[in-house]
């Protein structure tokens, strides 16, 4: 702990090859990556969207699991074993609805929050139910906001986090390579939009149903980076192209970052100029 910076928080973006319909194999590889992240001192480890099952529309009802199902049991056990906060994407079954969801699990294995993706492609609406925005979640690590995949494309999907003083946005993702040109720029923009750190945890592998591969390129970004240096100094860590699995870690200092954000007029100026329900409703 630094006297001036405060206690550091190590963020880990876990990139996992997700094979549809192979939950136990996917979870076994996820367990190895979580152990790696814990060994690097991570306080928050993030797994991709639908990391255990994949998002395969023909088998979506068979693959989805409830909040008291095996995927959540796995996450609770891993969080407890490593003393980690874990954010992860879960294909969630709730009655007749299937949600592409993100969950946050605490180091005691307790469920801290569930976000069901609100932004859906037009064709996905035949298979997935849309969720609602979720307030940032208060944790001992700081205030954490959850997003899933396509949400990254819309500034409105994360804008409420600026008004809530969010410390970290986690976007768990399964994004196709064919539509990936802007993803790195979007991650950087959403972090800067909201003065947060952002973790993009993206899967790799193939979706045979649509015949496309997943992007990967997981990263940790600091939206409060300022000053000179390299043009991409805000990208603190990332997994290179063509690397299928791995862990990218970076340490941020929430107390220092909050002080920096408070010195800037951006949040107050946004509230004064762009007072809209999706920014300032909630907390």
């Amino acid at each position: 702990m630094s006297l001036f910076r405060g206690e550091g928080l190590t963020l880990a973006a876990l990139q996992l090859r997700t094979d549809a319909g192979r939950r136990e194999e996917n979870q076994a590889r996820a367990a190895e990556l979580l152990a790696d992240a814990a060994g690097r001192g991570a306080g928050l480890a993030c797994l991709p969207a639908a990391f255990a099952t994949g998002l395969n529309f023909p088998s979506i009802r068979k693959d989805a699991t409830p909040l008291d199902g095996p995927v959540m049991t796995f996450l609770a056990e891993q969080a407890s074993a490593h003393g980690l906060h874990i954010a992860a994407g879960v294909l969630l079954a709730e009655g007749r609805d299937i949600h592409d969801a993100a969950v946050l699990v605490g180091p005691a294995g307790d469920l801290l929050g569930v976000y069901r993706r609100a932004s859906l492609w037009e064709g996905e609406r035949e298979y997935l139910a849309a969720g609602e925005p979720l307030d940032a979640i208060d944790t001992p690590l700081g205030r954490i906001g959850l997003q899933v995949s396509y949400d990254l494309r819309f500034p409105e999907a994360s804008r409420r986090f600026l008004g809530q003083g969010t410390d970290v946005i986690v976007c768990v993702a399964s994004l196709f390579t064919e539509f990936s040109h802007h993803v790195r720029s979007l991650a950087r923009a959403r972090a800067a939009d909201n003065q947060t750190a952002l973790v993009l945890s993206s899967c790799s592998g193939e979706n045979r149903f649509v015949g496309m591969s997943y992007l990967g390129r997981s990263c940790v970004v600091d939206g409060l980076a300022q000053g000179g240096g390299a043009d991409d100094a805000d990208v603190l860590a990332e997994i290179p192209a063509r690397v299928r699995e791995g862990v990218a870690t970076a340490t941020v200092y929430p107390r220092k970052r909050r002080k920096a954000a408070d010195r800037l007029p951006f949040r107050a100026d946004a509230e004064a100029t762009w007072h809209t329900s999706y920014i300032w409703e909630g907390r």
Side-chain angles (χ1 to χ4, degrees):
M1 178 172 175
S2 165
L3 177 63
F4 299 104
R5 293 186 299 184
E7 188 171 356
L9 168 60
T10 299
L11 305 170
L14 279 56
Q15 185 163 299
L16 174 72
R17 187 187 86 246
T18 301
D19 296 327
R22 297 185 176 179
R23 178 174 56 79
E24 292 186 359
E25 292 93 331
N26 293 333
Q27 289 181 177
R29 291 198 305 276
E32 294 179 1
L33 295 176
L34 288 166
D36 185 352
R40 301 187 193 197
L44 173 63
C46 309
L47 285 162
F51 81 95
T53 60
L55 188 60
N56 184 41
F57 290 138
S59 61
I60 196 168
R61 292 202 170 273
K62 180 181 71 174
D63 295 336
T65 59
L67 278 175
D68 59 355
V71 177
M72 291 303 303
T73 298
F74 167 80
L75 292 172
E77 291 173 349
Q78 290 293 312
S80 296
H82 297 297
L84 282 171
H85 283 77
I86 298 177
V90 177
L91 189 59
L92 184 61
E94 295 183 313
R96 295 186 59 81
D97 289 338
I98 306 295
H99 290 280
D100 191 11
V103 299
L104 182 64
V105 179
D110 47 329
L111 180 62
L112 302 180
V114 183
Y115 165 65
R116 299 155 182 86
R117 175 158 62 101
S119 305
L120 300 180
W121 286 84
E122 182 179 2
E124 290 181 320
R125 296 179 185 277
E126 299 178 19
Y127 303 94
L128 295 171
E132 297 290 338
L134 179 72
D135 285 344
I137 302 164
D138 287 315
T139 78
L141 304 180
R143 188 166 282 180
I144 298 172
L146 299 177
Q147 290 198 304
V148 181
S149 293
Y150 193 36
D151 287 328
L152 191 67
R153 192 65 181 83
F154 301 96
E156 297 86 351
S158 60
R159 202 50 155 160
R160 66 196 293 109
F161 295 143
L162 175 63
Q164 295 173 357
T166 303
D167 296 295
V168 182
I169 296 174
V170 177
C171 183
V172 302
S174 55
L175 300 167
F176 291 122
T177 302
E178 284 79 350
F179 306 117
S180 67
H181 180 69
H182 299 294
V183 167
R184 190 174 188 260
S185 297
L186 290 170
R188 297 170 71 186
R190 297 297 84 82
D193 285 347
N194 299 293
Q195 296 187 320
T196 66
L198 185 145
V199 181
L200 174 66
S201 184
S202 180
C203 70
S204 64
E206 310 294 326
N207 186 308
R208 295 181 181 178
F209 176 65
V210 296
M212 291 192 288
S213 61
Y214 290 112
L215 169 67
R217 299 300 301 270
S218 302
C219 60
V220 181
V221 182
D222 180 8
L224 273 171
Q226 292 181 306
D231 289 341
D232 59 355
D234 57 329
V235 181
L236 305 182
E238 64 181 330
I239 294 179
R242 294 180 292 279
V243 173
R244 294 172 69 85
E245 293 190 324
V247 178
T249 59
T251 300
V252 297
Y253 295 86
R255 188 175 77 180
K256 178 184 176 183
R257 297 181 78 264
R258 290 185 203 113
K259 289 181 177 179
D262 289 343
R263 286 195 299 268
L264 297 172
F266 182 61
R267 187 183 302 152
D269 290 346
E271 182 176 10
T273 308
W274 304 106
H275 191 99
T276 63
S277 61
Y278 59 78
I279 300 178
W280 305 109
E281 69 180 6
R283 266 191 296 230

